[in-house]
Amino acid sequence: MPKIIWRGIIKSEKDFPTANIPKNAQKLDVEEDMKKMQIKALPFMIPSILLCFICMFVKTFIANEKIINVGFLFIGIIMGFFLIIVHELLHAIAFPKNAIVYIGIVPKSLTAVALSASPVKRNRFIF
C-alpha cells in the first residue's frame, strides 16, 4: 500500500505534486482545471441524479405517502461529505506500493483529491 499523507486544505493547484514522466509512458489527455473537469462530468452526473429522483417519486406514488424524511436526508448528505475521504482512500490504493499519495480537499472547486507524482500503469489506473 502506498504511503498516504493527509494534506488537508489545498489552497492552490500549484501545491499538487509533479514529477517527470518516464520515456515510455503516455500522459493521459485529461482536463487540468478542476472546474472544467467537473463541467465535463455533468453529463454523467445529471442522469444519475434524475434516476434517483424518479425512483423516489415512483416509490412515493406507489406507497401513496411521503417517503422522504428531511432529517434523514440531511444526515445522508453529511455522511456523504465524510465518506468522500474514504472514496479518496480507495483512489489512493491504486497507486504502487512505493508511491506517496497526498489526500486533501480543494475548497476553491469543492473537490477532494488523491494525488501522487508516481506513474501508474494503464490497467492499474483503470482499476
Side-chain angles (χ1 to χ4, degrees), residues 9-10 19 24 27 31-32 36 45 55 66 68 75 83 87 91 98 101 107-110 113 126:
I9 295 176
I10 299 172
N24 61 344
K27 188 173 181 182
E31 193 64 56
E32 296 292 330
K36 288 181 182 177
M45 185 180 75
C55 289
K66 180 181 161 189
I68 300 170
I75 290 169
L83 289 174
H87 174 94
H91 283 293
N98 60 346
V101 182
K108 184 172 102 177
S109 57
L110 295 173
V113 292
I126 292 171

Side-chain angles (χ1 to χ4, degrees), residues 3 5 12 18 20 28 64 74 79 88 93 107 117 124:
K3 180 178 179 182
I5 298 174
S12 170
T18 58
N20 295 327
L28 288 175
N64 201 22
F74 181 72
M79 286 175 57
E88 295 308 323
I93 63 171
R124 193 170 186 125

